[in-house]
Amino acid sequence: MRGSLQAYKKVSVDSQLSAASPHKVIQMLMAGAIERLIQGKAAMLQGDIAVKGERLGKALDIVISLRTCLSMDEGGEIASNLDALYDFMIRQISEANRDNLDAPIDDVIDILREIKSAWDQIPAEYHNITQAGA
């Protein structure tokens, strides 16, 4: 049953991604990172080291992906600030995983929620605009 549910979730995510704007993909990545961080923290608090490592590893991969998506040439100061925040988050997740600390996970969740909240407030008419199209 669990395998069927996981397969269904994967198909659902894959179908959402195939129809998603770049803006929506970033929203999904941020939500996914937050979810994995919450799961990783819960596993840590329960002493489930394997699940903790797997979930925090996935969250780390997502944050690294978000960082690599930044357009430093077009993004200016905002991209530079996000780059510094993503670097900080990468270090915090790594420290939390290595040292079994939950406070750095909370810090990263808070930062991601704040960034996602701002991202979510961008009006729909701007979701597909690129520098070339502006």
Side-chain angles (χ1 to χ4, degrees), residues 2 5-6 9 29-64 89-90 92-94 96-98 100 105 108-109 112:
R2 183 174 171 100
L5 181 60
Q6 295 294 43
K9 284 182 180 179
L29 286 170
M30 288 183 190
I34 292 167
E35 182 178 348
R36 297 313 173 282
L37 288 164
I38 291 168
Q39 293 168 345
K41 179 182 173 183
M44 177 189 300
L45 296 175
Q46 294 170 356
D48 191 338
I49 302 304
V51 171
K52 174 206 74 163
E54 186 259 336
R55 297 293 193 246
L56 294 182
K58 285 186 178 187
L60 187 62
D61 289 343
I62 293 170
V63 173
I64 290 168
M89 288 187 264
I90 289 165
Q92 291 294 97
I93 295 168
S94 298
N97 194 21
R98 182 189 66 231
N100 278 328
I105 296 172
V108 174
I109 290 170
L112 277 172

Side-chain angles (χ1 to χ4, degrees), residues 23-118:
H23 181 88
K24 180 66 176 172
V25 171
I26 299 297
Q27 286 176 307
M28 292 173 68
L29 286 170
M30 288 183 190
I34 292 167
E35 182 178 348
R36 297 313 173 282
L37 288 164
I38 291 168
Q39 293 168 345
K41 179 182 173 183
M44 177 189 300
L45 296 175
Q46 294 170 356
D48 191 338
I49 302 304
V51 171
K52 174 206 74 163
E54 186 259 336
R55 297 293 193 246
L56 294 182
K58 285 186 178 187
L60 187 62
D61 289 343
I62 293 170
V63 173
I64 290 168
S65 294
L66 287 166
R67 187 178 188 199
T68 60
C69 290
L70 291 173
S71 176
M72 300 307 285
D73 294 334
E74 296 174 8
E77 186 178 347
I78 292 172
S80 180
N81 291 341
L82 284 170
D83 184 62
L85 280 172
Y86 289 137
D87 179 62
F88 174 76
M89 288 187 264
I90 289 165
R91 288 184 280 115
Q92 291 294 97
I93 295 168
S94 298
E95 176 187 351
N97 194 21
R98 182 189 66 231
D99 298 335
N100 278 328
L101 301 171
D102 60 340
I105 296 172
D106 291 334
D107 292 343
V108 174
I109 290 170
D110 290 344
I111 293 167
L112 277 172
R113 282 183 174 153
E114 191 167 329
I115 295 169
K116 185 178 183 309
S117 174

Side-chain angles (χ1 to χ4, degrees), residues 2-20 28 36:
R2 183 174 171 100
S4 298
L5 181 60
Q6 295 294 43
Y8 176 78
K9 284 182 180 179
K10 179 161 177 29
V11 168
S12 177
V13 169
D14 289 348
S15 66
Q16 288 177 38
L17 277 172
S18 67
M28 292 173 68
R36 297 313 173 282

